[in-house]
Amino acid sequence: MTQPSRRQRLEEMLARDPDDVFLLYGLAMEYVREGDVDEALLRLADVAKRDPNYHSAHFQAAQLLAQEGRTAEARDWATRGVDAADRKSTRLNSSHLVISYAVFCLK
């Protein structure tokens, strides 16, 4: 019997708890890992819509968009991510987003 993939396991857990943003984020990251950028971006947008303070979703979307050469969109996502981190009073996370975004833009 074949073991279910990580994506399949996440989808099964989401079937039981479809509003769990941590699981939704995990599923988005599985799409990143699988190389499905469009689906990953859709999933990350869903996470950000459900929880605007989920700054990791903003950072990952910015990173993906920057890698795809979509700099203006990446900048928008990174800016919203910094705002989200600031709302959570996580200055370390906010600084990490700014630095990470700058590194991607310089590549």
Side-chain angles (χ1 to χ4, degrees):
M1 184 171 166
T2 305
Q3 293 288 336
S5 68
R6 284 188 285 198
R7 182 163 52 95
Q8 289 169 327
R9 288 192 304 260
L10 285 164
E11 289 169 343
E12 289 170 5
M13 289 185 276
L14 279 166
R16 292 188 298 273
D17 190 1
D19 296 321
D20 186 321
V21 291
F22 182 73
L23 293 175
L24 292 166
Y25 177 77
L27 183 58
M29 295 311 297
E30 278 305 300
Y31 281 108
V32 171
R33 191 181 67 75
E34 293 173 4
D36 190 341
V37 173
D38 292 333
E39 188 64 29
L41 288 169
L42 286 172
R43 301 296 179 138
L44 290 167
D46 183 46
V47 171
K49 181 179 177 184
R50 290 169 185 259
D51 183 356
N53 294 329
Y54 208 109
H55 54 82
S56 296
H58 293 88
F59 167 71
Q60 290 298 330
Q63 181 178 346
L64 279 174
L65 289 163
Q67 290 171 346
E68 294 291 308
R70 296 162 60 180
T71 308
E73 291 172 272
R75 185 178 301 115
D76 181 55
W77 274 94
T79 300
R80 287 186 282 143
V82 170
D83 292 343
D86 284 345
R87 284 192 299 274
K88 285 184 130 178
S89 298
T90 54
R91 293 287 177 192
L92 179 60
N93 289 330
S94 177
S95 297
H96 178 259
L97 284 167
V98 171
I99 292 166
S100 297
Y101 175 71
V103 167
F104 285 110
C105 287
L106 294 173
K107 286 185 178 181

